[in-house]
Amino acid sequence: MSEQAKVVHLFQRQEHLAPVNVPLQTAYDIEQFLYAEAELLDAWQFHDWLALMAPDVHYWAPVRVNRLAREMDREMYPPGTAAHFDENLQMLGERVNRLHTNMAWSETPPSRTRHLISNVRAHTTEPDNEFDVQSSFHVYRTSSERHQDSVIGRRFDRLRRADSVYGFQIVSRTVVFDMATLLVKNLSLFY
Amino acid sequence: MDVSQWIDPDRGLIRGEIFHSQEVYAQELEQVFARSWIFLAHDAMLPQPGDFIQNYIGEDPVLVVRQPDGTVKAFLNQCRHRGMRLCRADTGNARNFMCSFHGWNYGLDGRVINIPHGEEIYNAEDREQFRATEVRLANYKGFIFGTWDTTAPEFEEYLGDFAWYFDAYIDRYEGGLEIVGLHKWVLPANWKFNAEQPTSDMYHGEVSHASAFQVMMPTPVDANSPPPDWAMSQLGQLASPAGFQFVSPYGHGTGWFAGGMPVMNETIYRWQEATKDQVAARLGPQRVTAHGHANIFPNFMMLSNYTFRVTHPRGPNEMEIWAWSMAPVAAPAEVKEAIRLDLLRTFSPAGMFEQDDAVNWEEEQRILRGYMARKVPLIYKQMLGRARYDADGLPGRTVPHVYAEEGARGMYRHYIDIMSGAPWPDLARLKQRREDDERSATAAPAKPDSFAA
């Protein structure tokens, strides 16, 4: 089974622990972009959200598993194996279209969500118009009469400056949920 | 508790109490889960000596371990001393398992190999008896099932005619299956909702999964042209649902479309078309298509697109789903990748099919808190009275429609049997007698109007 392979993931790289090195204005712009993105998701503006994606976007959320401490570096399933999302732009588009069919029962009536984004830290990259950005999220959801759940985790984004109202586009996103067994009934929305 | 007071398989009526009652649930752990064959592992999950995975029989954690000699053993993941869980990882490789409470050390075979101060404080003859509670195992073509019950029938006997159908999932291609992924999640619903769906419910697809079919099928090149021919043919199968359903005396069931299950990925579709003759040569022509969705009672299910899962019960109102994606070893790399992506996009917690099933089960479960909702019988009458034996070249008891509830009626008929607590040998005799009676009763051709009556 390929999960045995030792792979250094994006989120295990040491550079994420380095001090933030972007100018204050850039840090502010990036934060505001992430907040605006969260607003689009919470407002069910999924087509506008999709427009934030680069044409070659990769949206990936690997599965994780409980391991002995000495095998901690194998906690995440490597690329090409178990994932909750492993999407390109077209695949994300299908998910968005589904939510607008009026027959996506998992979101009928639609959930109310709040994407709370925090712990935003950005680093410069080569090329200099792209940035590696980490953030934490807490997505609180209520639906139907009294369902509520929370999904919490981290994101590792590559953002690229873009000539648009939002200022950036998302080149890649890795979502790491803080759960091995998902303690929610589904992941019907986006993180 | 006599569950037959709520279940009438002959008339196809079931009362919701069986999905709701805490008392029924406790009885299920004892009579169903502790006495049935439960899926524990696949050989491919344990390639090396010392490889282990933790799984469950009902609510009981079980460690499944590859031994140094290549065999597999399984035992209750519980220290004999004070009942502590021995190993707390889901999977990994170990040389032994040490209880983190008092340090009792167990070998890969579940035998105690060291007890701190054991020579001083225990009698030597007692120490020999201290071994982790062993699970009786069977390995069917790489699929490892276990049971606590030493009187349960042999696994192949338990499978019975379903073995023919099981092979259509796991033995289509030379070389068997490999693991490509795993998802675990919880749903606020009774485990039987998930079990009865692959056993007998293709009927929900058209409505429950309408949104996913719409967006996942290839779109036309422009607004005036139809989708590609291959995609139209797949949707066509849903539109005219000819097919079959099989039901086993031991509660297993499966249903499939006569033309095969719809495929929504062109790479997978092309490969399946290209290998049809190969599968037919290996398994015979019927089994090219006779693999829809299926369940081995109580909680091991498989879908035509290579998801294999157990549904662990977690109280009457909750289940935990563990779903492994597998792919034929013989498939080319791009097909394996297509299967991996297709699975996570359809039948995982983010999957566009699965998530709509989840809310249906959640709502069913929630409404069962009511009094009337549990009192009014639910209707399981599709294709009632239409079962035949060994018809259309299909082994066992089948009905000639993919939309049928014969599988569910059979599942609950067995559920009543095993929940009665009757010993396994008695159950086996009861099932044989019942089958003999039914075979003689259905020997004459059914009247054309028998369904209407």
Side-chain angles (χ1 to χ4, degrees):
Chain A
M1 191 175 180
S2 46
E3 65 162 347
Q4 298 291 336
K6 186 176 172 178
V7 176
V8 178
H9 293 276
L10 178 66
F11 42 85
Q12 291 166 326
R13 286 187 202 147
Q14 286 300 308
E15 50 262 41
H16 286 294
L17 300 175
V20 167
N21 63 354
V22 297
L24 191 59
Q25 182 64 43
T26 306
Y28 175 81
D29 293 347
I30 286 171
E31 274 184 24
Q32 291 303 312
F33 171 77
L34 294 178
Y35 299 158
E37 185 213 343
E39 196 65 43
L40 291 176
L41 288 172
D42 292 336
W44 272 64
Q45 298 300 310
F46 297 119
H47 286 291
D48 291 344
W49 176 76
L50 209 55
L52 302 179
M53 303 296 153
D56 58 341
V57 66
H58 184 219
Y59 181 95
W60 181 52
V63 171
R64 65 204 307 180
V65 60
N66 295 304
R67 287 279 191 177
L68 300 171
R70 65 171 183 271
E71 296 182 342
M72 194 177 167
D73 58 352
R74 295 188 194 157
E75 191 193 4
M76 309 301 307
Y77 274 83
T81 63
H84 298 297
F85 295 94
D86 203 341
E87 312 275 297
N88 60 27
L89 187 59
Q90 186 208 326
M91 293 152 98
L92 282 176
E94 290 173 8
R95 290 183 184 271
V96 165
N97 288 340
R98 190 186 80 90
L99 291 170
H100 292 296
T101 58
N102 294 320
M103 286 190 283
W105 312 121
S106 61
E107 290 295 335
T108 305
S111 299
R112 296 155 290 265
T113 63
R114 189 66 54 211
H115 283 67
L116 302 172
I117 310 298
S118 76
N119 301 31
V120 181
R121 297 169 77 242
H123 292 88
T124 58
T125 68
E126 293 287 334
D128 62 10
N129 67 338
E130 294 190 3
F131 303 90
D132 276 338
V133 181
Q134 321 173 40
S135 56
S136 300
F137 63 84
H138 180 165
V139 179
Y140 173 72
R141 168 172 71 169
T142 74
S143 63
S144 191
E145 287 175 351
R146 50 185 294 174
H147 180 85
Q148 61 172 344
D149 62 35
S150 279
V151 178
I152 295 172
R154 299 175 79 195
R155 303 186 305 196
F156 299 83
D157 293 342
R158 172 62 71 99
L159 301 183
R160 183 185 294 147
R161 284 212 187 267
D163 184 19
S164 73
V165 60
Y166 293 104
F168 291 93
Q169 58 181 195
I170 298 170
V171 180
S172 71
R173 169 165 290 173
T174 298
V175 182
V176 180
F177 298 113
D178 288 345
M179 292 183 264
T181 300
L182 283 176
L183 303 173
V184 294
K185 60 183 171 176
N186 60 39
L187 299 170
S188 51
L189 296 167
F190 303 100
Y191 299 89
Chain B
M1 194 140 244
D2 179 11
V3 294
S4 71
Q5 64 185 301
W6 298 302
I7 305 172
D8 185 347
D10 293 334
R11 291 198 300 151
L13 295 171
I14 294 178
R15 278 175 53 179
E17 196 65 36
I18 61 165
F19 304 107
H20 170 83
S21 156
Q22 186 69 45
E23 229 175 311
V24 167
Y25 179 72
Q27 191 168 321
E28 286 174 351
L29 291 184
E30 180 184 353
Q31 302 297 352
V32 175
F33 286 92
R35 298 209 295 154
S36 298
W37 284 100
I38 306 292
F39 173 76
L40 292 179
H42 185 276
D43 271 332
M45 296 169 191
L46 309 161
Q48 301 297 327
D51 284 352
F52 66 87
I53 75 160
Q54 182 170 198
N55 208 331
Y56 282 87
I57 294 180
E59 301 250 23
D60 288 312
V62 167
L63 270 176
V64 192
V65 191
R66 179 73 67 188
Q67 303 297 304
D69 68 359
T71 61
V72 170
K73 288 192 187 300
F75 45 89
L76 185 63
N77 185 9
Q78 184 194 35
C79 181
R80 291 291 309 282
H81 177 224
R82 282 296 180 274
M84 171 65 190
R85 192 189 295 252
L86 277 176
C87 174
R88 291 185 261 169
D90 298 337
T91 184
N93 184 277
R95 278 197 287 271
N96 49 60
F97 301 99
M98 193 191 77
C99 176
S100 62
F101 197 175
H102 301 90
W104 283 34
N105 210 324
Y106 292 77
L108 296 176
D109 60 356
R111 230 185 283 272
V112 178
I113 52 177
N114 187 49
I115 299 175
H117 309 287
E119 287 78 8
E120 305 149 38
I121 55 183
Y122 292 108
N123 293 326
E125 59 273 23
D126 283 349
R127 279 208 317 267
E128 289 302 303
Q129 315 296 320
F130 300 160
R131 84 172 278 151
T133 309
E134 206 167 350
V135 185
R136 177 184 168 200
L137 294 182
N139 186 326
Y140 183 85
K141 301 190 177 185
F143 285 77
I144 300 162
F145 289 77
T147 180
W148 300 120
D149 194 329
T150 53
T151 69
E154 293 298 323
F155 183 69
E156 300 222 4
E157 189 188 333
Y158 181 76
L159 268 188
D161 287 324
F162 185 73
W164 188 88
Y165 301 89
F166 193 24
D167 288 350
Y169 291 85
I170 66 173
D171 199 21
R172 293 179 86 71
Y173 300 98
E174 184 71 35
L177 300 167
E178 65 185 44
I179 316 291
V180 297
L182 171 62
H183 295 92
K184 296 183 181 181
W185 71 105
V186 296
L187 290 184
N190 188 276
W191 65 273
K192 295 190 289 299
F193 288 134
N194 202 342
E196 70 173 56
Q197 190 151 303
T199 302
S200 84
D201 187 352
M202 292 295 187
Y203 188 51
H204 76 289
E206 280 180 29
V207 173
S208 284
H209 302 310
S211 65
F213 281 121
Q214 276 180 52
V215 301
M216 292 189 76
M217 274 299 176
T219 43
V221 207
D222 60 70
N224 298 319
S225 23
D229 285 351
W230 76 264
M232 284 302 283
S233 77
Q234 299 302 286
L235 283 173
Q237 272 154 227
L238 286 172
S240 70
F244 298 93
Q245 198 167 92
F246 162 84
V247 56
S248 140
Y250 291 92
H252 327 313
T254 178
W256 65 99
F257 290 88
M261 292 295 282
V263 176
M264 281 165 296
N265 176 290
E266 190 171 2
T267 305
I268 299 171
Y269 173 81
R270 301 271 173 224
W271 181 68
Q272 288 191 354
E273 287 296 303
T275 55
K276 260 184 177 170
D277 292 348
Q278 195 185 322
V279 175
R282 190 175 174 82
L283 298 176
Q286 271 105 342
R287 284 188 285 181
V288 174
T289 51
H291 73 134
H293 298 333
N295 187 57
I296 295 179
F297 186 85
N299 65 338
F300 182 63
M301 56 207 68
M302 59 214 83
L303 309 181
S304 61
N305 67 347
Y306 295 105
T307 186
F308 293 84
R309 58 169 66 169
V310 286
T311 310
H312 295 303
R314 294 291 180 262
N317 303 307
E318 189 176 279
M319 64 176 121
E320 194 168 308
I321 304 181
W322 294 18
W324 284 272
S325 330
M326 303 199 199
V329 171
E334 70 270 18
V335 172
K336 287 178 190 170
E337 176 64 357
I339 289 172
R340 181 182 77 86
L341 292 175
D342 183 65
L343 270 174
L344 74 89
R345 305 189 74 238
T346 53
F347 290 102
S348 80
M352 288 181 273
F353 284 73
E354 191 68 44
Q355 51 185 265
D356 290 332
D357 287 330
V359 290
N360 287 333
W361 296 328
E362 179 189 25
E363 292 287 342
E364 279 179 287
Q365 191 68 43
R366 176 134 190 95
I367 201 171
L368 288 173
R369 292 156 61 121
Y371 167 75
M372 282 309 284
R374 273 179 281 139
K375 187 173 155 73
V376 179
L378 308 175
I379 300 162
Y380 290 73
K381 286 179 182 284
Q382 288 170 18
M383 297 299 282
L384 189 64
R386 295 287 294 271
R388 313 90 30 101
Y389 282 86
D390 303 331
D392 298 310
L394 302 167
R397 184 180 162 94
T398 58
V399 293
H401 205 291
V402 67
Y403 294 165
E405 282 155 349
E406 192 66 23
R409 289 189 293 272
M411 175 177 135
Y412 289 113
R413 189 173 278 117
H414 173 65
Y415 176 81
I416 295 172
D417 295 344
I418 196 162
M419 282 286 274
S420 75
W424 265 117
D426 290 358
L427 290 179
R429 274 193 295 274
L430 167 73
K431 287 166 194 302
Q432 191 57 55
R433 198 167 57 236
R434 195 185 282 150
E435 179 173 336
D436 292 345
D437 290 351
E438 282 166 355
R439 273 181 185 274
S440 50
T442 56
K447 288 182 202 121
D449 63 346
S450 61
F451 187 46

